[in-house]
Amino acid sequence: GKRGMKNLVVPGDLLESGKIFARLQSKNPKSPPHVVILSGFPCCVDHDPPTETDGPPGAYSIALAAVGLGYRVTVVTDACNEKVFEAAREALLDGSLKNVEQADGLVQLVAFPGEQNMS
């Protein structure tokens, strides 16, 4: 709601992205395609952690779709959101995939360090 996102919407982008996502293939049959999902903008800077509420489950929902299509996935977020993203990862993988050990090799979380002071 009213966060200025309307200016970022490009008509047809979501459909085109979905088409590309669905037909992505690896050139090496022994190595599945690799998808990177970036999420976790710390928008709630007065909270600890400052994590948005829809980012973690949304990122892992996309990750599960990618695994279903045969891809490896790396979810990337900032360090201040790492614990929330790890909890979302565990909850979604535990509930969605029968073999979580197999999923561990297909869905990974990487956190990058953030600034010392957010403003």
Side-chain angles (χ1 to χ4, degrees):
K2 301 195 185 226
R3 295 185 293 171
M5 300 300 288
K6 185 176 183 180
N7 295 331
L8 300 175
V9 175
V10 177
D13 255 9
L14 184 58
L15 176 60
E16 188 60 28
S17 297
K19 289 177 182 178
I20 292 168
F21 189 65
R23 68 177 181 252
L24 181 63
Q25 295 180 4
S26 175
K27 294 178 182 177
N28 179 352
K30 293 183 180 182
S31 176
H34 190 187
V35 174
V36 176
I37 300 168
L38 177 63
S39 184
F41 179 75
C43 61
C44 303
V45 294
D46 294 330
H47 296 88
D48 186 25
T51 312
E52 58 186 341
T53 57
D54 56 350
Y60 284 107
S61 295
I62 294 169
L64 290 174
V67 168
L69 291 168
Y71 305 156
R72 290 180 305 120
V73 179
T74 299
V75 175
V76 180
T77 191
D78 18 9
C80 64
N81 295 317
E82 184 174 16
K83 289 181 183 177
V84 175
F85 274 78
E86 184 58 40
R89 177 185 179 275
E90 289 180 21
L92 283 169
L93 293 181
D94 286 349
S96 300
L97 297 175
K98 294 178 182 175
N99 186 348
V100 177
E101 289 78 27
Q102 178 186 4
D104 278 341
L106 297 175
V107 181
Q108 297 181 350
L109 174 64
V110 173
F112 59 91
E115 294 182 34
Q116 292 296 334
N117 297 311
M118 292 188 304
S119 58

